[in-house]
């Protein structure tokens, strides 16, 4: 299982992914699920992946080589074209590996979040499915999640909005991830944080956060304490 989340606001984009993969309780590994693309001053792209690890790695490797028609993610003219390139790479892997997976009763299971900005366009965030089609985070949807999303969703629904500051979005992503880590053992540390500020065309933050990170530990402790305090402050039922 995986948890990846992308938060989009006017100020920029915050993306966070875990690194745990497992094929049973006694076969747990750590793999980076975030891949970065771009050209300094022109484009900045962040891709996070959930699903079958072999499939996600095959898609990323195809993206690194480029499509058969010569298109490369680094050279995409706009974010929609970039999402289409990822979608076509997924379909290419499905054409190559889908029949063999089906013969072994293995589902073709993969989902990506693609966020970033290409010069001349706005910062955008997409969720790309195993069929290669995609949706975009629009004015009424300020975040997207893939993988084990249900535990980290409530805080985002209550707080996230277009005017959220970058540093507040980082805190929200951390709380969302911590809620998921506490409730599902198949999601695990370390986690990878990527921050892109609007119109800078560079990565503002690229950081791997492990179990000893002081800031993450502070967020975890203070959020737990705040929840307990809020719970204790609620009035008793009158009936």
């Amino acid at each position: 299982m995986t948890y990846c989340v992308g938060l989009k606001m006017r100020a920029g984009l915050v993306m966070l992914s875990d690194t745990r993969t497992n094929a049973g309780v006694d076969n747990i590994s750590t793999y980076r699920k975030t891949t970065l693309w771009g050209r300094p001053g022109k484009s900045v792209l962040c891709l996070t992946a959930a699903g079958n690890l072999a499939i996600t790695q095959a898609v990323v490797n195809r993206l690194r080589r480029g499509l058969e028609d010569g298109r490369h993610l680094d050279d995409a003219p706009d974010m929609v074209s970039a999402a289409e390139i990822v979608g076509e790479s997924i379909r290419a892997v499905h054409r190559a590996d889908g029949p063999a997976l089906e013969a072994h009763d293995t589902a073709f299971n993969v989902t990506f979040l693609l966020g970033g900005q290409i010069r001349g366009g706005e910062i955008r965030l997409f969720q790309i499915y195993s069929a290669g089609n995609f949706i975009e985070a629009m004015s009424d949807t300020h975040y997207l999640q893939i993988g084990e999303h249900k535990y980290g969703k409530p805080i985002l629904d209550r707080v996230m909005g277009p005017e959220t500051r970058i540093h507040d979005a980082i805190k929200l992503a951390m709380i969302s991830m911590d809620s998921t880590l506490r409730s599902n053992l198949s999601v695990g540390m370390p986690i990878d944080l990527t921050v892109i500020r609007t119109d800078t065309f560079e990565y503002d933050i690229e950081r791997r956060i492990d179990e000893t990170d002081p800031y993450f530990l502070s967020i975890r402790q203070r959020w737990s304490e705040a929840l307990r305090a809020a719970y204790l402050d609620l009035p008793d039922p009158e009936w």
Side-chain angles (χ1 to χ4, degrees), residues 166-188:
I166 288 287
H167 286 95
D168 289 332
I170 293 173
K171 288 185 284 187
L172 285 172
M174 295 285 190
I175 293 169
S176 180
M177 179 63 74
D178 181 56
S179 299
T180 306
L181 291 168
R182 285 180 174 272
S183 299
N184 192 322
L185 293 177
S186 66
V187 178

Side-chain angles (χ1 to χ4, degrees), residues 5-15 34-39 42-48 73-74 76-83 86 112-128 135-137 144 194-204:
V5 60
L7 289 72
K8 190 194 80 166
M9 61 234 82
R10 298 190 199 281
L13 185 70
V14 173
M15 300 186 72
T34 295
T35 310
L36 305 180
W37 272 272
R39 300 191 184 279
K42 178 186 176 183
S43 63
V44 57
L45 304 171
C46 177
L47 186 73
T48 64
L73 199 54
D74 282 337
D78 52 63
M79 286 300 299
V80 171
S81 297
V86 175
F112 290 92
L113 293 182
L114 174 68
Q117 187 176 19
I118 296 173
R119 186 169 292 280
E122 298 179 353
I123 201 160
R124 301 174 79 169
L125 175 65
F126 299 90
Q127 181 171 334
I128 308 169
I135 61 172
E136 182 177 3
L144 293 172
T194 306
V195 177
I196 301 168
R197 290 187 182 270
T198 301
D199 294 333
T200 62
F201 303 101
E202 62 181 25
Y203 298 103
D204 188 62

Side-chain angles (χ1 to χ4, degrees), residues 132-214:
N133 58 332
F134 53 85
I135 61 172
E136 182 177 3
M138 304 295 284
S139 58
D140 293 329
T141 305
H142 308 294
Y143 69 89
L144 293 172
Q145 302 166 288
I146 56 176
E148 183 57 275
H149 61 272
K150 57 183 177 289
Y151 302 109
K153 191 174 188 295
I155 182 63
L156 302 177
D157 285 337
R158 284 185 167 88
V159 181
M160 185 61 199
E163 304 302 329
T164 301
R165 300 184 313 141
I166 288 287
H167 286 95
D168 289 332
I170 293 173
K171 288 185 284 187
L172 285 172
M174 295 285 190
I175 293 169
S176 180
M177 179 63 74
D178 181 56
S179 299
T180 306
L181 291 168
R182 285 180 174 272
S183 299
N184 192 322
L185 293 177
S186 66
V187 178
M189 301 286 279
I191 55 180
D192 290 310
L193 172 68
T194 306
V195 177
I196 301 168
R197 290 187 182 270
T198 301
D199 294 333
T200 62
F201 303 101
E202 62 181 25
Y203 298 103
D204 188 62
I205 298 174
E206 298 175 57
R207 184 177 181 86
R208 170 154 287 194
I209 298 166
D210 62 21
E211 297 88 343
T212 65
D213 185 87

Side-chain angles (χ1 to χ4, degrees), residues 48-64:
T48 64
N52 184 296
L53 181 63
I55 298 172
T56 63
Q57 289 188 346
V59 172
V60 169
N61 285 331
R62 281 185 178 266
L63 288 169
R64 286 173 173 154

